[in-house]
């Protein structure tokens, strides 16, 4: 089975400074891959490079194949068509991805209409409304008819994140990149969103690249994990192996810190 995303020996620089060095990873259909590391380790930059959206002034070297198309060095007009088709991205704070002046239903509908235009199809307003409701129900948003008329600020954080996931699903992507999608959510909502992502990946046979600094969350969200430290890949393997028998001192420190935190929380309860 071919890879949905293949990154080989990728480096990222900003004004000559090396931020990410020699990273390689791949994601196939139905596979859940985690990318972990502390803040500033290069996780989000790696994801942005994968979809050709590095901030101005940053450059990438190496190879990034997205749906067998080379991203590094390609003109934006050649990459933009892959976003929302080959790949969709869910960010940490959905308020940054949602238009505060548009109702949620209209935002999902706009994605559906764009997809129809891309595919050369015409869709009626009624068909779009039906699919919007179906997508909102798919991500377990309660009372889809009511929430479709809501603005982002009128929804909870968990509901906004579900709406962002619905927008991503409306694209019917092969690959889903989730960049810290549960960090701003409470523990109960985190668990619900993680279960939702697991179900969607399984049922849609999508690939998932899950980015987080939270080891317990990653441990439940993915099958295979890669560890970044200061822009360098230091360890990778199945979750049970990397978290259960870490080899690199940095990974050992991450795992021990996560365990100590869990023990401290348990003692305080």
């Amino acid at each position: 089975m071919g890879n949905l995303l293949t990154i080989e020996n990728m480096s990222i620089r900003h004004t000559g400074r090396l931020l990410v060095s020699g990273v390689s990873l791949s994601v196939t259909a139905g596979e859940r891959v985690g990318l972990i590391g502390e803040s500033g380790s290069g996780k989000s930059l790696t994801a942005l490079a994968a979809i050709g959206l590095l901030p101005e002034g940053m450059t990438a070297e190496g190879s990034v194949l997205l749906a067998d198309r080379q991203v590094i060095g390609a003109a934006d007009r050649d990459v933009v068509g892959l976003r929302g088709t080959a790949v969709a991205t869910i960010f940490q704070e959905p308020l940054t991805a949602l238009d505060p002046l548009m109702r949620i239903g209209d935002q999902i509908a706009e994605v559906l209409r764009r997809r129809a235009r891309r595919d050369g199809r015409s869709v009626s307003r009624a068909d779009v409304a039906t699919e919007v409701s179906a997508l909102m129900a798919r991500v377990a948003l309660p009372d889809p008819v009511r929430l479709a008329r809501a603005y982002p600020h009128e929804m909870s954080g968990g509901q906004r994140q579900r709406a962002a996931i619905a927008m991503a699903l409306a694209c019917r992507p092969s690959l889903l990149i989730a960049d810290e999608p549960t960090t701003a959510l409470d523990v109960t909502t985190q668990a619900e969103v993680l279960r939702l992502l697991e179900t969607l990946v399984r049922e849609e046979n999508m690939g998932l690249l899950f980015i987080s600094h939270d080891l317990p969350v990653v441990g439940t969200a993915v099958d295979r994990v890669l560890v970044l430290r200061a822009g360098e890949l230091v360890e990778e393997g199945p979750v049970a192996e990397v978290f259960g028998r870490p080899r690199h001192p940095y990974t050992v420190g991450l795992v021990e810190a996560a365990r100590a935190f869990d023990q401290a929380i348990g003692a305080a309860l």
Side-chain angles (χ1 to χ4, degrees):
M1 182 181 297
N3 293 334
L4 303 175
L5 172 66
T6 304
I7 298 177
E8 294 183 346
N9 197 32
M10 184 190 71
S11 297
I12 300 173
R13 298 178 183 273
H14 181 241
T15 60
R17 180 186 172 200
L18 191 61
L19 304 178
V20 174
S21 177
V23 168
S24 298
L25 64 87
S26 64
V27 185
T28 62
E31 186 180 26
R32 300 178 300 160
V33 178
L35 189 60
I36 67 170
E38 61 192 333
S39 298
S41 61
K43 307 183 301 297
S44 293
L45 286 181
T46 298
L48 291 173
I51 58 178
L53 282 180
L54 279 175
E56 186 175 354
M58 293 189 183
T59 58
E61 305 166 351
S63 175
V64 173
L65 288 177
L66 183 59
D68 295 325
R69 299 265 295 277
Q70 181 59 247
V71 173
I72 293 180
D76 188 66
R77 64 177 178 273
D78 297 326
V79 179
V80 68
L82 298 175
R83 303 177 199 131
T85 54
V87 61
T89 306
I90 304 168
F91 295 100
Q92 174 178 339
E93 176 46 71
L95 278 178
T96 64
L98 298 172
D99 188 331
L101 302 179
M102 283 183 69
R103 300 180 192 274
I104 290 298
D106 292 338
Q107 297 191 52
I108 299 173
E110 179 60 24
V111 176
L112 293 171
R113 284 191 286 266
R114 287 183 181 181
R115 192 187 78 207
R117 289 194 296 268
R118 180 194 74 203
D119 297 340
R121 297 183 293 110
S122 61
V123 290
S124 67
R125 180 176 298 181
D127 288 341
V128 170
T130 297
E131 193 164 356
V132 167
S133 293
L135 281 166
M136 294 181 71
R138 183 76 189 281
V139 298
L141 276 169
D143 196 355
V145 174
R146 178 181 63 83
L147 284 182
R149 296 185 54 78
Y151 291 95
H153 72 273
E154 296 175 320
M155 304 170 71
S156 69
Q159 289 173 339
R160 286 193 293 265
Q161 193 61 284
R162 289 175 184 274
I165 294 172
M167 290 178 65
L169 288 179
C171 303
R172 292 187 180 172
S174 301
L175 173 67
L176 190 61
I177 296 178
D179 189 357
E180 302 274 12
T182 62
T183 298
L185 306 177
D186 61 75
V187 174
T188 301
T189 308
Q190 273 189 2
E192 293 172 350
V193 170
L194 291 173
R195 283 195 298 270
L196 172 62
L197 289 175
E198 179 184 5
T199 299
L200 294 173
V201 168
R202 182 179 65 253
E203 294 180 353
E204 301 293 333
N205 199 35
M206 292 188 299
L208 174 67
L209 180 60
F210 190 95
I211 298 168
S212 181
H213 66 275
D214 191 325
L215 269 65
V217 167
V218 172
T220 62
V222 306
D223 310 305
R224 182 164 59 89
V225 66
L226 300 95
V227 184
L228 275 180
R229 177 180 182 271
E232 294 186 0
L233 186 63
V234 298
E235 190 163 353
E236 63 179 296
V239 167
E241 179 180 318
V242 173
F243 289 178
R245 297 179 299 278
R247 300 183 303 275
H248 193 278
Y250 177 71
T251 313
V252 171
L254 288 179
V255 171
E256 290 179 347
R259 288 173 179 164
F261 180 76
D262 284 346
Q263 290 172 358
I265 293 295
L269 295 178

